[in-house]
């Protein structure tokens, strides 16, 4: 006869089996069509490019070397490659600028929504969600309508007599930046709102009672309280900005590339899959560093509050 | 004091927020207005007309790629939602166990990798499988879409499960319902709004995807977004505005439905 503890053990074992069985399909799909292929990218970054795309199964570190250096055609010496680095630099700085601008625009917006009466907040949130769920390509294309030579900005400028000829806005860094701010703004507003919703306004009131100005209240009470939201929103905007592909391609044209477009080039016209793979891994590493920063930051703020 | 002092007010915030909403909707509004422009080029307004909608409707490629988009989105959303529901049950209705955090991170992995990286990874793997098997159908696109839809379906379902009252399920078990009966008669009916929300999110996310589809598709497998991307590259006619407007109306419809489903919290 089984003892009570043996029965309990069997129940526990069955439970574990059921849990793994239930999660197996999701884990399998994600492994086969997302995580697994990622590991193969690492392998590909150490191979030799094939003649017509794809790879030859021959170990090589050339791809990694050329992420950072370029080989001189004549004397085979290596020098620091500026071409790729400058694209990385442009990507990182445009993504940072996007993050800061969405924060500047998103902070008051989230605050505005959070301070509406309960029954009206849903409607304002809904208005933020609509562009968020509208196709990214369509939103980028909509931005093109605004920035084109005969778009609304240029029409307005000419109507007001500020210029008599259209200002070139499309295919500039400015266009890419404007497009990314536009596309990623909801990603900043939503987490900001989530943490502002929880603000205890008695703390704000206490601040005023102690003769704080509005700016001091903002800086020393509200901003510290919503830091988790600011960090989460920044991560949510920064990571997809870094990998942006559609927006720079449509609004930046062929000259204002970002990492995403550079990677695509290696798999298309460049026919250098190992280099594309190495660039992809580099992008992943930057993203991981950003995520690590986020995890450490949230761990710290959790510790501070509880 | 004439006006009560409002502790919540911050100077300038309301006007900045209004500006933000204005900026969010200005481009979309322009896009929609120009879809009704009776002119061959986008630039000049020539009067109201539905002719570009007519052109798009009669464009075989547009209809074909739209249908393909819906097909892929429907299958991928369904598969992702079923597997996500199962996984959500396995990660909530249990006390913390070893491997739980791992599962959680694993399922959400597609959210943390830049889309372009997933796209090239799938290009590499699928192009090899294509050579090995000779199969080049829609299966690759469905598999890819299912994978990145899993976390989008998983998150609302998990949230719903976590906010549900365990007492009802415990009560059912106390009344000698089997695990299966408890699930079928108690858990599932309560979980439906979450499942529906997950399904709709997954559907919209799949419908929206450009980057992964662009890399994974074989010749002649354009979805509506990749078709549009190709057109934009070739130079734009108001037809794109008309297609975008139709797509927009559809997305807004789904999001509105999602909004009302998720608001019904019992």
């Amino acid at each position: 006869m089984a003892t009570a503890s043996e029965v309990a053990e069997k129940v526990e074992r069955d439970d574990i089996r059921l849990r793994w069985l239930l999660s197996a399909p999701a884990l399998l799909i994600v492994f086969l069509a997302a995580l697994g292929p990622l590991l193969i990218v690492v392998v590909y970054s150490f191979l030799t490019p094939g003649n017509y795309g794809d790879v030859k199964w021959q170990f090589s570190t050339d791809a990694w070397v050329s992420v950072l250096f370029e080989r001189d055609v004549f004397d085979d010496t290596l020098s620091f490659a500026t071409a790729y680095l400058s694209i990385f630099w442009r990507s990182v700085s445009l993504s940072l600028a996007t993050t800061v601008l969405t924060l500047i625009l998103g902070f008051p917006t989230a605050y505005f929504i959070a301070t509406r009466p309960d029954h009206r907040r849903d409607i304002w949130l809904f208005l933020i969600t609509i562009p968020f769920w509208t196709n990214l390509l369509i939103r980028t294309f909509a931005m093109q309508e605004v920035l084109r030579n005969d778009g609304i900005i240029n029409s307005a400028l000419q109507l007001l007599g500020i210029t008599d000829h259209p200002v070139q806005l499309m295919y500039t860094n400015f266009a890419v930046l404007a497009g990314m701010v536009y596309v990623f703004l909801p990603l900043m507003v939503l987490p900001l709102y989530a943490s502002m919703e929880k603000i205890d306004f008695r703390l704000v009131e206490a601040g005023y009672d102690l003769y704080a100005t509005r700016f001091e209240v903002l800086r020393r009470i509200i901003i510290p309280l919503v830091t988790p939201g600011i960090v989460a929103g920044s991560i949510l905007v920064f990571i997809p900005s870094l990998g942006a592909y559609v927006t720079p391609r449509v609004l930046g044209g062929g000259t204002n590339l970002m990492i995403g477009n550079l990677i695509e080039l290696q798999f298309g016209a460049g026919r250098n899959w190992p280099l594309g793979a190495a660039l992809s891994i580099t992008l992943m590493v930057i993203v991981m560093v950003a995520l690590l920063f986020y995890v450490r930051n949230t761990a710290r703020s959790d510790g501070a509050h509880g | 004091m004439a006006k009560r002092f409002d502790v919540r007010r911050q100077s300038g915030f309301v006007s900045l927020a209004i500006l933000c909403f204005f900026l969010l909707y200005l481009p979309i509004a322009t896009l929609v207005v120009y879809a009704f422009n009776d002119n061959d080029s986008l630039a000049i307004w020539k009067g109201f007309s539905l002719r570009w909608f007519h052109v798009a409707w009669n464009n075989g490629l547009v209809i074909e790629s739209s249908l393909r988009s819906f097909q892929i989105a429907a299958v991928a959303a369904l598969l992702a939602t079923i597997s996500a529901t199962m996984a959500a049950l396995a990660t909530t209705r249990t006390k913390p166990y070893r491997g739980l955090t791992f599962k959680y991170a694993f399922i959400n992995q597609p959210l943390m990798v830049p889309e372009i990286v997933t796209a090239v990874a799938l290009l590499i793997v699928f192009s090899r499988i294509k050579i090995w098997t000779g199969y080049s159908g829609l299966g690759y696109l469905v598999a890819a879409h299912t994978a990145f839809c899993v976390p989008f379906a998983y998150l609302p379902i998990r949230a719903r499960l976590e906010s549900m009252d365990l007492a009802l399920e415990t009560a059912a078990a106390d009344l000698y319902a089997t695990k299966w009966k408890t699930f079928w008669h108690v858990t599932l009916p309560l979980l439906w709004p979450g499942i529906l929300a997950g399904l709709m999110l997954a559907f919209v996310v799949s419908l929206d995807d450009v980057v992964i589809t662009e890399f994974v598709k074989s010749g002649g497998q354009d979805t509506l977004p990749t078709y549009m991307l190709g057109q934009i590259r070739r130079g734009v006619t108001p037809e794109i505005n008309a297609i975008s407007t139709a797509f927009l109306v559809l997305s807004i419809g789904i999001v509105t439905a999602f909004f009302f489903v998720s608001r019904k919290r019992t």
Side-chain angles (χ1 to χ4, degrees), chain A residues 250-279:
Chain A
V250 172
L251 298 175
T255 46
N256 294 281
L257 300 177
M258 286 182 57
I259 309 175
N261 312 95
L262 182 63
I263 292 171
E264 195 259 331
L265 265 180
Q266 306 310 321
F267 284 90
R271 290 187 203 288
N272 193 342
W273 288 25
L275 178 56
L279 291 167

PDB file of all heavy atoms in Angstrom, chain A residues 250-279:
ATOM      1  N   VAL A 250      11.954  53.843 -45.814  1.00  0.00           N
ATOM      2  CA  VAL A 250      10.961  54.644 -46.522  1.00  0.00           C
ATOM      3  C   VAL A 250      11.277  56.137 -46.426  1.00  0.00           C
ATOM      4  O   VAL A 250      11.180  56.864 -47.413  1.00  0.00           O
ATOM      5  CB  VAL A 250       9.540  54.362 -45.966  1.00  0.00           C
ATOM      6  CG1 VAL A 250       8.523  55.319 -46.552  1.00  0.00           C
ATOM      7  CG2 VAL A 250       9.151  52.915 -46.252  1.00  0.00           C
ATOM      8  N   LEU A 251      11.697  56.601 -45.240  1.00  0.00           N
ATOM      9  CA  LEU A 251      11.886  58.039 -45.047  1.00  0.00           C
ATOM     10  C   LEU A 251      13.338  58.482 -45.239  1.00  0.00           C
ATOM     11  O   LEU A 251      13.600  59.643 -45.513  1.00  0.00           O
ATOM     12  CB  LEU A 251      11.417  58.459 -43.653  1.00  0.00           C
ATOM     13  CG  LEU A 251       9.934  58.241 -43.358  1.00  0.00           C
ATOM     14  CD1 LEU A 251       9.630  58.583 -41.913  1.00  0.00           C
ATOM     15  CD2 LEU A 251       9.054  59.067 -44.297  1.00  0.00           C
ATOM     16  N   GLY A 252      14.277  57.543 -45.088  1.00  0.00           N
ATOM     17  CA  GLY A 252      15.686  57.916 -45.172  1.00  0.00           C
ATOM     18  C   GLY A 252      16.277  57.690 -46.551  1.00  0.00           C
ATOM     19  O   GLY A 252      17.387  58.106 -46.822  1.00  0.00           O
ATOM     20  N   GLY A 253      15.536  56.975 -47.392  1.00  0.00           N
ATOM     21  CA  GLY A 253      16.049  56.692 -48.721  1.00  0.00           C
ATOM     22  C   GLY A 253      17.271  55.799 -48.638  1.00  0.00           C
ATOM     23  O   GLY A 253      17.432  55.029 -47.682  1.00  0.00           O
ATOM     24  N   GLY A 254      18.156  55.883 -49.652  1.00  0.00           N
ATOM     25  CA  GLY A 254      19.281  54.968 -49.700  1.00  0.00           C
ATOM     26  C   GLY A 254      20.486  55.438 -48.910  1.00  0.00           C
ATOM     27  O   GLY A 254      21.442  54.697 -48.734  1.00  0.00           O
ATOM     28  N   THR A 255      20.460  56.684 -48.419  1.00  0.00           N
ATOM     29  CA  THR A 255      21.687  57.219 -47.828  1.00  0.00           C
ATOM     30  C   THR A 255      21.664  57.263 -46.312  1.00  0.00           C
ATOM     31  O   THR A 255      22.704  57.205 -45.686  1.00  0.00           O
ATOM     32  CB  THR A 255      21.950  58.646 -48.356  1.00  0.00           C
ATOM     33  OG1 THR A 255      20.720  59.369 -48.289  1.00  0.00           O
ATOM     34  CG2 THR A 255      22.456  58.603 -49.769  1.00  0.00           C
ATOM     35  N   ASN A 256      20.484  57.362 -45.712  1.00  0.00           N
ATOM     36  CA  ASN A 256      20.452  57.473 -44.260  1.00  0.00           C
ATOM     37  C   ASN A 256      20.159  56.125 -43.622  1.00  0.00           C
ATOM     38  O   ASN A 256      19.134  55.920 -42.994  1.00  0.00           O
ATOM     39  CB  ASN A 256      19.434  58.525 -43.836  1.00  0.00           C
ATOM     40  CG  ASN A 256      19.863  59.893 -44.295  1.00  0.00           C
ATOM     41  OD1 ASN A 256      20.719  60.505 -43.679  1.00  0.00           O
ATOM     42  ND2 ASN A 256      19.313  60.339 -45.410  1.00  0.00           N
ATOM     43  N   LEU A 257      21.109  55.209 -43.811  1.00  0.00           N
ATOM     44  CA  LEU A 257      20.930  53.840 -43.341  1.00  0.00           C
ATOM     45  C   LEU A 257      21.026  53.743 -41.832  1.00  0.00           C
ATOM     46  O   LEU A 257      21.677  54.541 -41.182  1.00  0.00           O
ATOM     47  CB  LEU A 257      22.011  52.937 -43.937  1.00  0.00           C
ATOM     48  CG  LEU A 257      22.089  52.812 -45.440  1.00  0.00           C
ATOM     49  CD1 LEU A 257      23.268  51.926 -45.807  1.00  0.00           C
ATOM     50  CD2 LEU A 257      20.800  52.222 -45.960  1.00  0.00           C
ATOM     51  N   MET A 258      20.356  52.709 -41.322  1.00  0.00           N
ATOM     52  CA  MET A 258      20.582  52.329 -39.935  1.00  0.00           C
ATOM     53  C   MET A 258      21.021  50.860 -39.917  1.00  0.00           C
ATOM     54  O   MET A 258      21.086  50.226 -40.959  1.00  0.00           O
ATOM     55  CB  MET A 258      19.327  52.565 -39.113  1.00  0.00           C
ATOM     56  CG  MET A 258      19.110  54.050 -38.869  1.00  0.00           C
ATOM     57  SD  MET A 258      17.679  54.444 -37.871  1.00  0.00           S
ATOM     58  CE  MET A 258      17.979  53.537 -36.367  1.00  0.00           C
ATOM     59  N   ILE A 259      21.312  50.340 -38.718  1.00  0.00           N
ATOM     60  CA  ILE A 259      21.859  48.979 -38.639  1.00  0.00           C
ATOM     61  C   ILE A 259      20.967  47.977 -39.373  1.00  0.00           C
ATOM     62  O   ILE A 259      21.462  47.122 -40.096  1.00  0.00           O
ATOM     63  CB  ILE A 259      22.019  48.512 -37.168  1.00  0.00           C
ATOM     64  CG1 ILE A 259      22.765  49.552 -36.364  1.00  0.00           C
ATOM     65  CG2 ILE A 259      22.786  47.191 -37.124  1.00  0.00           C
ATOM     66  CD1 ILE A 259      22.860  49.208 -34.887  1.00  0.00           C
ATOM     67  N   GLY A 260      19.649  48.124 -39.172  1.00  0.00           N
ATOM     68  CA  GLY A 260      18.712  47.192 -39.792  1.00  0.00           C
ATOM     69  C   GLY A 260      18.893  47.128 -41.302  1.00  0.00           C
ATOM     70  O   GLY A 260      18.911  46.046 -41.896  1.00  0.00           O
ATOM     71  N   ASN A 261      19.038  48.301 -41.939  1.00  0.00           N
ATOM     72  CA  ASN A 261      19.199  48.346 -43.388  1.00  0.00           C
ATOM     73  C   ASN A 261      20.550  47.805 -43.818  1.00  0.00           C
ATOM     74  O   ASN A 261      20.675  47.151 -44.854  1.00  0.00           O
ATOM     75  CB  ASN A 261      19.049  49.791 -43.893  1.00  0.00           C
ATOM     76  CG  ASN A 261      17.824  50.442 -43.317  1.00  0.00           C
ATOM     77  OD1 ASN A 261      17.907  51.131 -42.304  1.00  0.00           O
ATOM     78  ND2 ASN A 261      16.681  50.177 -43.918  1.00  0.00           N
ATOM     79  N   LEU A 262      21.553  48.059 -42.983  1.00  0.00           N
ATOM     80  CA  LEU A 262      22.895  47.563 -43.271  1.00  0.00           C
ATOM     81  C   LEU A 262      22.889  46.031 -43.275  1.00  0.00           C
ATOM     82  O   LEU A 262      23.474  45.391 -44.152  1.00  0.00           O
ATOM     83  CB  LEU A 262      23.867  48.090 -42.212  1.00  0.00           C
ATOM     84  CG  LEU A 262      25.338  47.703 -42.372  1.00  0.00           C
ATOM     85  CD1 LEU A 262      25.889  48.270 -43.659  1.00  0.00           C
ATOM     86  CD2 LEU A 262      26.147  48.200 -41.185  1.00  0.00           C
ATOM     87  N   ILE A 263      22.196  45.449 -42.295  1.00  0.00           N
ATOM     88  CA  ILE A 263      22.095  43.992 -42.219  1.00  0.00           C
ATOM     89  C   ILE A 263      21.387  43.458 -43.465  1.00  0.00           C
ATOM     90  O   ILE A 263      21.838  42.505 -44.100  1.00  0.00           O
ATOM     91  CB  ILE A 263      21.345  43.568 -40.931  1.00  0.00           C
ATOM     92  CG1 ILE A 263      22.183  43.887 -39.701  1.00  0.00           C
ATOM     93  CG2 ILE A 263      21.005  42.077 -40.972  1.00  0.00           C
ATOM     94  CD1 ILE A 263      21.456  43.703 -38.385  1.00  0.00           C
ATOM     95  N   GLU A 264      20.287  44.120 -43.816  1.00  0.00           N
ATOM     96  CA  GLU A 264      19.518  43.678 -44.980  1.00  0.00           C
ATOM     97  C   GLU A 264      20.380  43.708 -46.241  1.00  0.00           C
ATOM     98  O   GLU A 264      20.326  42.797 -47.068  1.00  0.00           O
ATOM     99  CB  GLU A 264      18.291  44.579 -45.159  1.00  0.00           C
ATOM    100  CG  GLU A 264      17.231  44.012 -46.089  1.00  0.00           C
ATOM    101  CD  GLU A 264      17.262  44.621 -47.468  1.00  0.00           C
ATOM    102  OE1 GLU A 264      17.673  45.802 -47.558  1.00  0.00           O
ATOM    103  OE2 GLU A 264      16.886  43.949 -48.430  1.00  0.00           O
ATOM    104  N   LEU A 265      21.189  44.764 -46.365  1.00  0.00           N
ATOM    105  CA  LEU A 265      22.060  44.908 -47.537  1.00  0.00           C
ATOM    106  C   LEU A 265      22.984  43.707 -47.703  1.00  0.00           C
ATOM    107  O   LEU A 265      23.212  43.245 -48.818  1.00  0.00           O
ATOM    108  CB  LEU A 265      22.924  46.161 -47.386  1.00  0.00           C
ATOM    109  CG  LEU A 265      22.406  47.431 -48.048  1.00  0.00           C
ATOM    110  CD1 LEU A 265      23.377  48.573 -47.803  1.00  0.00           C
ATOM    111  CD2 LEU A 265      22.212  47.203 -49.550  1.00  0.00           C
ATOM    112  N   GLN A 266      23.516  43.198 -46.579  1.00  0.00           N
ATOM    113  CA  GLN A 266      24.452  42.077 -46.663  1.00  0.00           C
ATOM    114  C   GLN A 266      23.759  40.807 -47.154  1.00  0.00           C
ATOM    115  O   GLN A 266      24.386  39.940 -47.736  1.00  0.00           O
ATOM    116  CB  GLN A 266      25.104  41.801 -45.306  1.00  0.00           C
ATOM    117  CG  GLN A 266      25.778  43.008 -44.686  1.00  0.00           C
ATOM    118  CD  GLN A 266      26.701  43.715 -45.654  1.00  0.00           C
ATOM    119  OE1 GLN A 266      27.397  43.081 -46.444  1.00  0.00           O
ATOM    120  NE2 GLN A 266      26.684  45.043 -45.631  1.00  0.00           N
ATOM    121  N   PHE A 267      22.463  40.704 -46.882  1.00  0.00           N
ATOM    122  CA  PHE A 267      21.741  39.516 -47.334  1.00  0.00           C
ATOM    123  C   PHE A 267      21.182  39.695 -48.743  1.00  0.00           C
ATOM    124  O   PHE A 267      20.804  38.748 -49.395  1.00  0.00           O
ATOM    125  CB  PHE A 267      20.619  39.179 -46.346  1.00  0.00           C
ATOM    126  CG  PHE A 267      21.135  38.536 -45.103  1.00  0.00           C
ATOM    127  CD1 PHE A 267      21.496  39.307 -44.018  1.00  0.00           C
ATOM    128  CD2 PHE A 267      21.293  37.163 -45.032  1.00  0.00           C
ATOM    129  CE1 PHE A 267      21.994  38.724 -42.866  1.00  0.00           C
ATOM    130  CE2 PHE A 267      21.798  36.569 -43.892  1.00  0.00           C
ATOM    131  CZ  PHE A 267      22.138  37.344 -42.801  1.00  0.00           C
ATOM    132  N   GLY A 268      21.119  40.945 -49.195  1.00  0.00           N
ATOM    133  CA  GLY A 268      20.633  41.208 -50.542  1.00  0.00           C
ATOM    134  C   GLY A 268      21.798  41.482 -51.470  1.00  0.00           C
ATOM    135  O   GLY A 268      22.588  40.595 -51.785  1.00  0.00           O
ATOM    136  N   ALA A 269      21.942  42.749 -51.853  1.00  0.00           N
ATOM    137  CA  ALA A 269      22.933  43.133 -52.843  1.00  0.00           C
ATOM    138  C   ALA A 269      24.359  42.794 -52.410  1.00  0.00           C
ATOM    139  O   ALA A 269      25.190  42.450 -53.235  1.00  0.00           O
ATOM    140  CB  ALA A 269      22.814  44.628 -53.142  1.00  0.00           C
ATOM    141  N   GLY A 270      24.663  42.896 -51.118  1.00  0.00           N
ATOM    142  CA  GLY A 270      26.023  42.680 -50.636  1.00  0.00           C
ATOM    143  C   GLY A 270      26.482  41.239 -50.739  1.00  0.00           C
ATOM    144  O   GLY A 270      27.669  40.963 -50.813  1.00  0.00           O
ATOM    145  N   ARG A 271      25.530  40.302 -50.745  1.00  0.00           N
ATOM    146  CA  ARG A 271      25.836  38.868 -50.807  1.00  0.00           C
ATOM    147  C   ARG A 271      26.913  38.456 -49.824  1.00  0.00           C
ATOM    148  O   ARG A 271      27.809  37.688 -50.144  1.00  0.00           O
ATOM    149  CB  ARG A 271      26.316  38.477 -52.213  1.00  0.00           C
ATOM    150  CG  ARG A 271      25.242  38.532 -53.247  1.00  0.00           C
ATOM    151  CD  ARG A 271      25.773  37.964 -54.550  1.00  0.00           C
ATOM    152  NE  ARG A 271      25.030  38.457 -55.691  1.00  0.00           N
ATOM    153  CZ  ARG A 271      23.806  38.087 -55.982  1.00  0.00           C
ATOM    154  NH1 ARG A 271      23.178  37.225 -55.224  1.00  0.00           N
ATOM    155  NH2 ARG A 271      23.187  38.571 -57.046  1.00  0.00           N
ATOM    156  N   ASN A 272      26.875  39.003 -48.634  1.00  0.00           N
ATOM    157  CA  ASN A 272      27.853  38.613 -47.632  1.00  0.00           C
ATOM    158  C   ASN A 272      27.099  38.204 -46.380  1.00  0.00           C
ATOM    159  O   ASN A 272      26.962  38.965 -45.439  1.00  0.00           O
ATOM    160  CB  ASN A 272      28.817  39.773 -47.364  1.00  0.00           C
ATOM    161  CG  ASN A 272      30.025  39.325 -46.568  1.00  0.00           C
ATOM    162  OD1 ASN A 272      30.015  38.276 -45.935  1.00  0.00           O
ATOM    163  ND2 ASN A 272      31.077  40.132 -46.606  1.00  0.00           N
ATOM    164  N   TRP A 273      26.569  36.976 -46.404  1.00  0.00           N
ATOM    165  CA  TRP A 273      25.745  36.521 -45.292  1.00  0.00           C
ATOM    166  C   TRP A 273      26.495  36.473 -43.966  1.00  0.00           C
ATOM    167  O   TRP A 273      25.934  36.858 -42.939  1.00  0.00           O
ATOM    168  CB  TRP A 273      25.118  35.152 -45.617  1.00  0.00           C
ATOM    169  CG  TRP A 273      24.024  35.241 -46.638  1.00  0.00           C
ATOM    170  CD1 TRP A 273      23.874  36.202 -47.592  1.00  0.00           C
ATOM    171  CD2 TRP A 273      22.917  34.346 -46.792  1.00  0.00           C
ATOM    172  NE1 TRP A 273      22.750  35.957 -48.340  1.00  0.00           N
ATOM    173  CE2 TRP A 273      22.150  34.820 -47.870  1.00  0.00           C
ATOM    174  CE3 TRP A 273      22.521  33.189 -46.131  1.00  0.00           C
ATOM    175  CZ2 TRP A 273      20.994  34.178 -48.306  1.00  0.00           C
ATOM    176  CZ3 TRP A 273      21.365  32.542 -46.554  1.00  0.00           C
ATOM    177  CH2 TRP A 273      20.609  33.034 -47.628  1.00  0.00           C
ATOM    178  N   PRO A 274      27.765  35.994 -43.951  1.00  0.00           N
ATOM    179  CA  PRO A 274      28.473  35.978 -42.661  1.00  0.00           C
ATOM    180  C   PRO A 274      28.586  37.376 -42.049  1.00  0.00           C
ATOM    181  O   PRO A 274      28.383  37.545 -40.851  1.00  0.00           O
ATOM    182  CB  PRO A 274      29.847  35.420 -43.016  1.00  0.00           C
ATOM    183  CG  PRO A 274      29.594  34.574 -44.210  1.00  0.00           C
ATOM    184  CD  PRO A 274      28.547  35.310 -44.989  1.00  0.00           C
ATOM    185  N   LEU A 275      28.875  38.376 -42.891  1.00  0.00           N
ATOM    186  CA  LEU A 275      28.966  39.733 -42.361  1.00  0.00           C
ATOM    187  C   LEU A 275      27.597  40.180 -41.821  1.00  0.00           C
ATOM    188  O   LEU A 275      27.504  40.758 -40.744  1.00  0.00           O
ATOM    189  CB  LEU A 275      29.459  40.700 -43.441  1.00  0.00           C
ATOM    190  CG  LEU A 275      29.545  42.165 -43.030  1.00  0.00           C
ATOM    191  CD1 LEU A 275      30.430  42.343 -41.810  1.00  0.00           C
ATOM    192  CD2 LEU A 275      30.059  43.032 -44.180  1.00  0.00           C
ATOM    193  N   GLY A 276      26.531  39.890 -42.582  1.00  0.00           N
ATOM    194  CA  GLY A 276      25.180  40.206 -42.114  1.00  0.00           C
ATOM    195  C   GLY A 276      24.893  39.546 -40.784  1.00  0.00           C
ATOM    196  O   GLY A 276      24.317  40.156 -39.879  1.00  0.00           O
ATOM    197  N   ALA A 277      25.334  38.286 -40.646  1.00  0.00           N
ATOM    198  CA  ALA A 277      25.130  37.553 -39.399  1.00  0.00           C
ATOM    199  C   ALA A 277      25.900  38.208 -38.264  1.00  0.00           C
ATOM    200  O   ALA A 277      25.357  38.409 -37.163  1.00  0.00           O
ATOM    201  CB  ALA A 277      25.557  36.097 -39.569  1.00  0.00           C
ATOM    202  N   ALA A 278      27.164  38.571 -38.532  1.00  0.00           N
ATOM    203  CA  ALA A 278      27.978  39.207 -37.487  1.00  0.00           C
ATOM    204  C   ALA A 278      27.377  40.540 -37.064  1.00  0.00           C
ATOM    205  O   ALA A 278      27.327  40.875 -35.879  1.00  0.00           O
ATOM    206  CB  ALA A 278      29.410  39.404 -37.994  1.00  0.00           C
ATOM    207  N   LEU A 279      26.879  41.317 -38.047  1.00  0.00           N
ATOM    208  CA  LEU A 279      26.245  42.595 -37.715  1.00  0.00           C
ATOM    209  C   LEU A 279      24.977  42.374 -36.883  1.00  0.00           C
ATOM    210  O   LEU A 279      24.695  43.132 -35.947  1.00  0.00           O
ATOM    211  CB  LEU A 279      25.904  43.366 -38.999  1.00  0.00           C
ATOM    212  CG  LEU A 279      27.086  43.900 -39.811  1.00  0.00           C
ATOM    213  CD1 LEU A 279      26.640  44.342 -41.196  1.00  0.00           C
ATOM    214  CD2 LEU A 279      27.758  45.060 -39.078  1.00  0.00           C
TER     215      LEU A 279
END
